[in-house]
Amino acid sequence: MITSVQMRRASALVVVLAVAGVAADDNRPLGERTRQYLTDLVRLDTSNPPGNETRVAEYLKQVADSHQIPCELLGSDPKRKNFVARIKGSGKGRPLLLIAHSDVVPADKKQWSVDPFSAELRSGFIYGRGTEDDKALLAAELAVMVEIKRRSNIKLGRDLILLSESDEEMGLDWHRLAGTA
């Protein structure tokens, strides 16, 4: 029988290995990078309840750290952390906030033709819980931030902020996070 500590350690190892592969292949086209992020995110079960969205927050942090994007994890519940990253701009404009949530609705595996957390590729489509709400958006926003950071010739007129909320229904003070309060 596998203990909860062993499961957490195994989950952390999967995230580290996934990020190591992503960071090593930095020159992939934006679409391929986005697809990899989505696949990795779908494979992290963040069904709410109970949540466990910290898995996603840690993954996002490792990707951001590997590309030198300043970021942090926020929240009082260690299992339900939020992720915030910011690329500084010139400050001419108000910050642009990219936002998505990392929790998903629980999946009854009997109602799925694939494992809902397998991110199985079929006929060009990725199947899994969160592909439509909201991990695809999160993967695209992360890929855009990485692309902007990679291209040193892009000069931002405003800060670009990525927020991954653990729970879409709980809400955060976005103005405080964006520095516009």
Side-chain angles (χ1 to χ4, degrees):
M1 182 163 167
I2 298 174
T3 67
S4 63
V5 171
Q6 290 170 320
M7 284 299 291
R8 283 195 302 267
R9 287 181 182 157
S11 294
L13 179 60
V14 167
V15 168
V16 168
L17 293 174
V19 171
V22 169
D25 191 7
D26 199 39
N27 294 318
R28 290 178 296 168
L30 182 59
E32 287 181 28
R33 191 176 308 118
T34 305
R35 191 170 22 263
Q36 182 64 56
Y37 294 158
L38 177 57
T39 299
D40 294 343
L41 290 169
V42 168
R43 288 181 178 155
L44 299 172
D45 183 353
T46 55
S47 298
N48 181 13
N52 296 316
E53 296 91 345
T54 297
R55 295 172 179 167
V56 167
E58 288 172 344
Y59 172 83
L60 297 171
K61 183 171 183 355
Q62 289 179 4
V63 172
D65 286 346
S66 73
H67 294 283
Q68 293 79 49
I69 298 172
C71 63
E72 61 184 319
L73 304 183
L74 300 172
S76 57
D77 187 338
K79 293 182 180 180
R80 306 202 70 202
K81 293 288 186 182
N82 303 290
F83 168 84
V84 180
R86 179 185 297 248
I87 297 176
K88 289 283 195 183
S90 69
K92 291 179 184 174
R94 293 177 64 176
L96 175 62
L97 179 62
L98 307 175
I99 187 169
H101 61 88
S102 57
D103 64 327
V104 297
V105 176
D108 180 356
K109 290 184 179 189
K110 292 177 264 174
Q111 295 181 358
W112 284 72
S113 61
V114 300
D115 179 332
F117 301 104
S118 67
E120 185 175 315
L121 184 64
R122 283 189 184 175
S123 303
F125 293 93
I126 298 172
Y127 286 80
R129 179 60 89 205
T131 55
E132 291 186 15
D133 183 21
D134 200 28
K135 291 182 178 180
L137 177 61
L138 185 55
E141 291 170 343
L142 177 63
V144 165
M145 283 200 85
V146 168
E147 188 70 13
I148 288 171
K149 184 67 177 180
R150 286 182 64 240
R151 296 177 182 254
S152 58
N153 62 336
I154 295 178
K155 304 300 179 207
L156 299 175
R158 65 187 74 233
D159 288 3
L160 180 62
I161 303 167
L162 172 57
L163 168 62
S164 173
E165 284 188 289
S166 61
D167 186 337
E168 71 177 312
E169 280 80 27
M170 290 301 292
L172 293 174
D173 185 352
W174 300 339
H175 293 290
R176 182 186 60 78
L177 290 171
T180 60

